[in-house]
Amino acid sequence: MTDPVARAAALLKEHRASIDRLDAILVYTLAERFKHTQSVGRLKAEHDLPPSDPAREAQQIERLERLAREADLDPEFARKFLNFVIAEVIRHHEQYQS
């Protein structure tokens, strides 16, 4: 018979390893996303376009909330996360404009 505490510890270790891999994916994905948004910021600055695009931001939030529901993720969390990312992108874009 297997020791239930040892089995739980093994399962915990497996879950944590998966979480660590997913965290790495998130970080590298965000880095790639920011590379693109920084290019967008430079392009906007070169053409005197505003750093923020409220219509696009609203579309993206709606899209991400829909994707979150499809993925069984709290859409409110997804909205908050995207709002945080958008605020950081706008901050970068504003820096290119100055």
Side-chain angles (χ1 to χ4, degrees):
M1 186 183 292
T2 305
D3 176 17
V5 174
R7 177 70 180 138
L11 289 171
L12 184 61
K13 184 177 180 181
E14 289 174 19
H15 285 300
R16 286 181 173 163
S18 292
I19 289 167
D20 291 349
R21 284 190 299 275
L22 291 166
D23 284 346
I25 291 167
L26 286 171
V27 168
Y28 280 92
T29 300
L30 282 171
E32 184 68 19
R33 187 186 196 287
F34 276 104
K35 287 175 189 171
H36 287 283
T37 60
Q38 288 169 356
S39 293
V40 168
R42 286 189 291 274
L43 185 63
K44 285 181 173 184
E46 289 170 14
H47 297 282
D48 294 320
L49 297 169
S52 175
D53 184 345
R56 167 135 171 96
E57 293 157 21
Q59 289 173 341
Q60 287 299 95
I61 289 168
E62 183 179 310
R63 177 178 167 270
L64 197 67
E65 286 176 337
R66 185 184 73 251
L67 290 171
R69 284 189 295 276
E70 291 170 5
D72 199 25
L73 179 68
D74 179 4
E76 177 69 13
F77 169 79
R79 184 186 58 75
K80 287 178 184 178
F81 176 75
L82 187 58
N83 277 328
F84 173 77
V85 170
I86 289 170
E88 186 66 12
V89 168
I90 291 170
R91 188 180 69 78
H92 290 168
H93 289 188
E94 289 170 345
Q95 289 175 343
Y96 290 122
Q97 305 247 335
S98 53

